[in-house]
């Protein structure tokens, strides 16, 4: 194995499937010299993809290890897949939401959850 094998490689972007109607509409747009519908949706997808965690971000993230129940992991997976938000970001959001509640409400939440 050489050092070039250890280089990070960019992940391949998944090809989005295009409906027949969109394909035909895109061909018509091309024929009339108008912008492509498909390329516009791809630009939106790539722009949305770059909103994630950035190495050069001003926020400093620290790796942490947590112990979660199987049920909690399943719920987190479900929420993450439905919302298309990373699990680590979801946990940060939930922590922030919990921290903004009053101590009385926090106590009620803690007492009502038996882990």
């Amino acid at each position: 194995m050489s050092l070039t094998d250890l280089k990070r490689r960019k992940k391949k972007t998944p090809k989005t499937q295009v409906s027949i109607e969109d394909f035909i509409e895109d061909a018509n747009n091309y024929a009339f010299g108008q912008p492509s519908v498909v390329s516009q949706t791809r630009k939106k997808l790539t722009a949305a993809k770059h909103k994630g965690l950035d190495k050069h971000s001003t926020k400093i993230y620290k790796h942490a290890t947590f112990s979660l129940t199987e049920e909690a992991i399943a719920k987190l997976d479900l929420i993450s897949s439905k919302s298309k938000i990373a699990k680590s970001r979801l946990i940060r959001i939930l922590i922030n939401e919990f921290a903004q509640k009053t101590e009385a409400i926090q106590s009620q939440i803690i007492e009502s959850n038996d882990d």
Side-chain angles (χ1 to χ4, degrees):
M1 179 191 317
S2 66
L3 293 177
T4 56
D5 294 335
L6 300 175
K7 269 189 183 177
R8 277 193 182 171
R9 293 188 178 98
K10 290 183 180 178
K11 293 182 180 178
K12 293 182 180 178
T13 56
K15 301 281 183 181
T16 55
Q17 292 186 350
V18 180
S19 69
I20 294 171
E21 292 82 16
D22 287 342
F23 180 79
I24 294 170
E25 185 66 31
D26 208 32
N28 289 335
N29 287 344
Y30 178 77
F32 292 114
Q34 296 174 348
S36 169
V37 175
V38 176
S39 65
Q40 289 174 353
T41 56
R42 284 189 183 159
K43 285 179 186 175
K44 288 178 187 175
L45 288 174
T46 56
K49 191 185 294 184
H50 292 296
K51 289 184 180 179
L53 186 61
D54 184 12
K55 283 185 176 182
H56 306 292
S57 176
T58 56
K59 293 182 182 179
I60 298 173
Y61 294 95
K62 196 171 186 180
H63 180 76
T65 303
F66 298 96
S67 297
L68 300 173
T69 63
E70 292 291 327
E71 182 183 355
I73 293 170
K75 287 178 183 177
L76 187 62
D77 284 336
L78 181 67
I79 295 168
S80 177
S81 64
K82 281 185 178 180
S83 65
K84 305 275 194 265
I85 297 175
K87 292 178 227 172
S88 57
R89 183 169 179 224
L90 274 173
I91 290 172
R92 289 192 300 271
I93 291 169
L94 294 171
I95 290 170
N96 189 35
E97 288 293 319
F98 184 79
Q100 291 178 1
K101 299 196 181 304
T102 63
E103 287 185 27
I105 294 174
Q106 287 178 353
S107 297
Q108 286 178 341
I109 293 170
I110 291 169
E111 289 171 9
S112 67
N113 284 317
D114 294 328
D115 291 332

